[in-house]
């Protein structure tokens, strides 16, 4: 029997603004098995980060999980208080590496001290000396010399900061690591090294991961499963091999055509026409219908639900299927 570490069941998170509710994530469903890495992919503003913040319940003021369940290790996080989330879930259960390695650290504290503080805040019984030793070991594990714990963030390169942030996220041995755009703002060489590190850590620690990215190639490098989001909805979901081999949703097909392939014949890159919708007033029916070349009458009226395709793990939300 599959035993997911994380299961989202019809999760709907909206932002209340002066102009009304922004429907940022609606009816989002997916699962991450233990030890598995899942990529969450889509254009900016499609709801990826909203989902990550919903899982950790660190949404900004005005945002609300209005429906659905977030089952982590079998327990629904939605009704949990902020206190319970802090004591039981954040850092120890689920940890996050925020996007923007250059800005995610406090510039006036030494990098090692920031990790030590995180350890002692969540595990008050750990002595300062033990926390320092753990931090040095974490630095070594992510490929940063342990002596660099006494450096300030401005003394680290972008790649080293990204590694230090990963070390910080692993400080309390989480079961699930969320990485929000881990390669953004890094040059391709450093990006490849960071992705290799994530793969190694996943293998070594048996970590489950959710990797948020707008870049399909990053997800293909690290993940076994893929969820494609469009305008707050899950468009397609399945194992990476099936989705790459046979993308079913017209939006996924459009994304694939917009990325260069390093195998097979050279192909002209084609962008998806139009713009993502305003989520204050999303289109009726399928939210992709104003941009979809296959849109039918039903697409304007009914929002398609995820349906299983074939015998493997492959689901698509589209009236064509
Ligand atoms: Fe296109 Fe209709 Fe499928 Fe939406 S449901 S992706 S509009 S064919």
């Amino acid at each position: 029997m599959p035993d997911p570490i994380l299961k989202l069941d019809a999760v709907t998170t909206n932002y209340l603004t002066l102009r009304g509710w922004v429907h940022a994530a609606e009816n989002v469903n997916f699962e991450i098995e233990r030890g598995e890495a899942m990529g969450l992919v889509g254009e900016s503003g499609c709801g990826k980060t909203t989902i990550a913040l919903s899982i950790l319940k660190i949404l900004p003021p005005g945002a609300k999980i209005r429906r659905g369940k977030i089952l982590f290790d079998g327990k629904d996080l939605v009704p949990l208080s902020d206190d319970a989330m802090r004591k039981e879930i954040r850092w120890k259960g689920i940890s996050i590496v925020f996007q923007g390695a250059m800005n995610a650290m406090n510039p006036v504290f030494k990098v090692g001290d920031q990790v030590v503080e995180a350890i002692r805040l969540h595990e008050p019984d750990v002595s300062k000396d033990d926390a320092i030793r753990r931090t040095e070991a974490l630095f070594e594990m992510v490929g940063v010399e342990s002596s660099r714990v006494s450096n300030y963030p401005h003394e680290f390169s972008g790649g080293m900061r990204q590694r230090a942030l990963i070390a910080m996220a692993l400080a309390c041995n989480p079961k699930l690591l969320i990485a929000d755009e881990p390669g953004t703002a890094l040059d391709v060489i450093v990006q490849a090294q960071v992705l290799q590190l994530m793969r190694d850590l996943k293998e070594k620690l048996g970590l489950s991961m959710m990797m948020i990215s707008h870049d399909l190639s990053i997800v293909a490098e690290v993940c076994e499963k893929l969820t494609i989001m469009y305008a707050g909805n899950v468009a397609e979901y399945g194992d990476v091999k099936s989705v790459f081999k046979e993308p079913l949703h017209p939006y996924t097909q459009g994304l694939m055509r917009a990325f260069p392939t390093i195998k097979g014949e050279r192909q002209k890159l084609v962008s998806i026409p139009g713009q993502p919708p305003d989520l204050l007033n999303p289109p009726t029916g399928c939210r992709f219908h104003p941009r979809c070349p296959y849109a039918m009458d039903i697409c304007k009226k009914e929002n398609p639900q995820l349906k299983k395709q074939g015998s493997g793990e492959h689901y698509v939300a589209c009236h064509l299927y």
Side-chain angles (χ1 to χ4, degrees):
M1 281 287 284
D3 177 24
I5 186 80
L6 183 75
K7 178 173 174 167
L8 267 64
D9 183 2
V11 173
T12 297
T13 301
N14 296 167
Y15 295 86
L16 186 59
T17 69
L18 290 174
R19 291 168 59 212
W21 287 102
V22 175
H23 302 267
E26 301 246 323
N27 278 324
V28 173
N29 297 293
F30 61 72
E31 291 180 12
I32 303 176
E33 303 297 334
R34 285 165 206 277
E36 180 180 70
M38 191 205 75
L40 193 57
V41 174
E43 291 164 297
S44 295
C46 73
K48 309 182 295 282
T49 300
T50 294
I51 285 298
L53 300 182
S54 301
I55 292 167
L56 282 158
K57 295 185 68 186
I58 48 174
L59 288 157
K64 190 167 185 228
I65 303 170
R66 296 177 79 189
R67 284 186 297 282
K69 289 182 181 171
I70 299 172
L71 297 164
F72 173 67
D73 228 351
K75 183 174 192 169
D76 188 7
L77 305 183
V78 175
L80 281 195
S81 67
D82 195 52
D83 198 38
M85 283 297 294
R86 194 170 57 244
K87 285 186 182 147
E88 298 167 28
I89 306 296
R90 293 182 202 131
W91 292 80
K92 289 181 193 163
I94 310 173
S95 200
I96 185 164
V97 181
F98 285 108
Q99 60 178 302
M102 304 311 261
N103 311 321
M105 281 187 189
N106 190 327
V108 298
F109 290 105
K110 291 175 182 171
V111 178
D113 288 350
Q114 297 186 48
V115 183
V116 167
E117 187 192 359
I119 294 173
R120 298 196 69 212
L121 194 68
H122 293 88
E123 296 179 37
D125 294 342
V126 176
S127 71
K128 189 166 182 192
D129 284 348
D130 283 348
I132 292 170
R133 273 193 287 277
R134 250 166 80 174
T135 302
E136 288 171 347
L138 282 164
F139 270 44
E140 294 284 348
M141 186 168 71
V142 299
V144 178
E145 277 177 36
S146 56
S147 60
R148 304 297 295 256
V149 292
S150 50
N151 285 163
Y152 287 90
H154 72 268
E155 296 174 287
F156 275 32
S157 66
M160 284 169 71
R161 281 189 211 188
Q162 187 73 69
R163 286 170 187 268
L165 282 178
I166 294 170
M168 195 185 285
L170 297 175
C172 299
N173 302 315
K175 292 179 183 167
L176 173 70
L177 180 70
I178 299 177
D180 193 354
E181 303 277 6
T184 305
L186 300 175
D187 67 62
V188 283
I189 306 283
V190 180
Q191 187 184 78
Q193 291 167 350
V194 168
L195 294 180
Q196 182 61 47
L197 171 66
M198 310 253 343
R199 270 195 302 262
D200 292 347
L201 290 173
K202 178 175 165 293
E203 291 306 316
K204 197 167 161 188
L205 306 175
L207 264 180
S208 311
M209 272 190 208
M210 184 173 110
M211 185 173 283
I212 298 172
S213 182
H214 60 275
D215 188 335
L216 277 168
S217 56
I218 285 187
V219 166
E221 288 251 349
V222 181
C223 300
E224 291 99 10
K225 207 183 261 175
L226 176 61
T227 299
I228 307 274
M229 282 190 77
Y230 180 76
N233 291 153
V234 173
E236 190 158 359
Y237 158 72
D239 68 78
V240 164
K241 283 189 185 141
S242 306
V243 178
F244 268 81
K245 191 170 163 211
E246 193 182 3
L248 298 174
H249 197 282
Y251 176 63
T252 316
Q253 293 167 357
L255 276 185
M256 302 269 181
R257 281 194 296 269
F259 274 88
T261 168
I262 53 169
K263 289 183 184 164
E265 287 179 22
R266 271 212 211 170
Q267 286 172 346
K268 194 173 171 203
L269 301 183
V270 184
S271 62
I272 301 171
Q275 298 289 328
D278 176 1
L279 294 181
L280 259 173
N281 291 300
T284 54
C286 171
R287 291 184 176 184
F288 189 57
H289 85 252
R291 302 173 77 183
C292 179
Y294 310 108
M296 305 168 279
D297 280 347
I298 188 176
C299 305
K300 297 175 190 161
K301 295 178 198 142
E302 279 181 34
N303 197 2
Q305 302 302 305
L306 277 178
K307 280 188 217 140
K308 196 171 194 299
Q309 303 297 316
S311 55
E313 272 287 286
H314 198 161
Y315 296 78
V316 65
C318 173
H319 291 304
L320 289 172
Y321 305 94

